[in-house]
Amino acid sequence: GAGVSQTPSNKVTEKGKYVELRCDPISGHTALYWYRQSLGQGPEFLIYFQGTGAADDSGLPNDRFFAVRPEGSVSTLKIQRTERGDSAVYLCASSPDRNTGELFFGEGSRLTVL
Amino acid sequence: DQQVKQNSPSLSVQEGRISILNCDYTNSMFDYFLWYKKYPAEGPTFLISISSIKDKNEDGRFTVFLNKSAKHLSLHIVPSQPGDSAVYFCAARRAGNMLTFGGGTRLMVKP
């Protein structure tokens, strides 16, 4: 596809369950980012991949959150033992060049934890 | 610790007039500043940026001004159009292309 693709677009789960959110970046983009946006706030950085490795995961709130990008393309954000406070829109972005400052965002995955 | 702040949650402007959106930051290490625009149910899209070594960048109806001494930047849209109605996020970049976003300003342009 032409843009960043995220699935699922909506996920409703119960407290304590495990969730995976997938991101398919723009082809050829080496950098991939995960952000989280809570209601009424701006996107908040979670983790950044350059290729297959996590270059910076300082934004992950705790060890329940983990992300992988095994082949340097698709990435999966994994949340264990979900809590109601994890409810948010999870945005993925990719970039062709880590020096431009311009990120291309997907439409996000809206996670609701009941 | 909010390093990037947008103090106006909303702004209403008449079509054809100027829209001015403001943003303040605290970290002197930011080297690039960007504005993103977001429509409902869509991801943010890049609008315009400015390097920290410049004080102005213009692209069509959009101009961004940077005042480093005041740690303040602003986005001017002139003339404003109804299609500009969206949430605008200010963002500041540090190493590795990681962006810190402000809380957003909802712009409403009335016909």
Side-chain angles (χ1 to χ4, degrees):
Chain A
V4 176
S5 176
Q6 291 189 246
T7 54
S9 55
N10 275 287
K11 175 72 177 177
V12 180
T13 191
E14 292 180 343
K15 179 173 179 253
K17 298 288 189 183
Y18 170 79
V19 165
E20 287 191 353
L21 306 175
R22 175 190 166 106
C23 173
D24 201 340
I26 293 172
S27 178
H29 282 194
T30 57
L32 185 145
Y33 307 79
W34 283 99
Y35 282 80
R36 174 169 73 173
Q37 185 175 15
S38 300
L39 194 62
Q41 298 182 21
E44 173 192 16
F45 169 75
L46 295 177
I47 186 170
Y48 152 57
F49 288 89
Q50 184 64 32
T52 60
D56 188 321
D57 64 357
S58 62
L60 295 177
N62 51 61
D63 62 6
R64 295 186 297 105
F65 288 75
F66 189 70
V68 296
R69 195 186 185 199
E71 297 178 358
S73 178
V74 170
S75 176
T76 304
L77 178 65
K78 307 180 181 195
I79 311 173
Q80 298 177 322
R81 304 182 305 280
T82 51
E83 299 178 356
R84 292 194 181 87
D86 299 335
S87 297
V89 175
Y90 289 81
L91 293 164
C92 177
S94 67
S95 172
D97 177 345
R98 64 191 184 111
N99 291 321
T100 65
E102 179 182 350
L103 304 186
F104 295 80
F105 282 88
E107 295 185 349
S109 292
R110 180 177 296 278
L111 174 66
T112 303
V113 182
L114 301 176
Chain B
D1 175 27
Q2 268 190 291
Q3 296 189 55
V4 178
K5 279 189 182 179
Q6 293 175 255
N7 290 318
S8 298
S10 65
L11 174 68
S12 183
V13 169
Q14 202 67 34
E15 180 179 7
R17 307 295 290 266
I18 185 170
S19 296
I20 300 176
L21 296 97
N22 294 301
C23 178
D24 296 294
Y25 64 95
T26 57
N27 190 338
S28 300
M29 299 304 292
F30 291 135
D31 66 348
Y32 231 85
F33 301 91
L34 305 94
W35 286 93
Y36 280 78
K37 177 178 176 180
K38 186 181 183 305
Y39 293 116
E42 295 183 9
T45 55
F46 170 76
L47 189 58
I48 191 170
S49 63
I50 187 167
S51 165
S52 60
I53 62 173
K54 307 248 182 197
D55 56 16
K56 177 182 174 182
N57 187 27
E58 189 172 350
D59 183 3
R61 297 185 297 113
F62 303 91
T63 303
V64 57
F65 295 93
L66 176 63
N67 182 335
K68 281 188 71 176
S69 60
K71 293 191 173 68
H72 177 84
L73 65 155
S74 60
L75 174 67
H76 293 210
I77 307 172
V78 54
S80 301
Q81 298 174 355
D84 296 330
S85 297
V87 177
Y88 289 79
F89 291 101
C90 167
R93 190 190 80 154
R94 55 185 172 94
N97 240 19
M98 285 168 291
L99 303 183
T100 301
F101 285 84
T105 297
R106 180 178 301 280
L107 173 65
M108 293 162 284
V109 180
K110 298 178 182 176

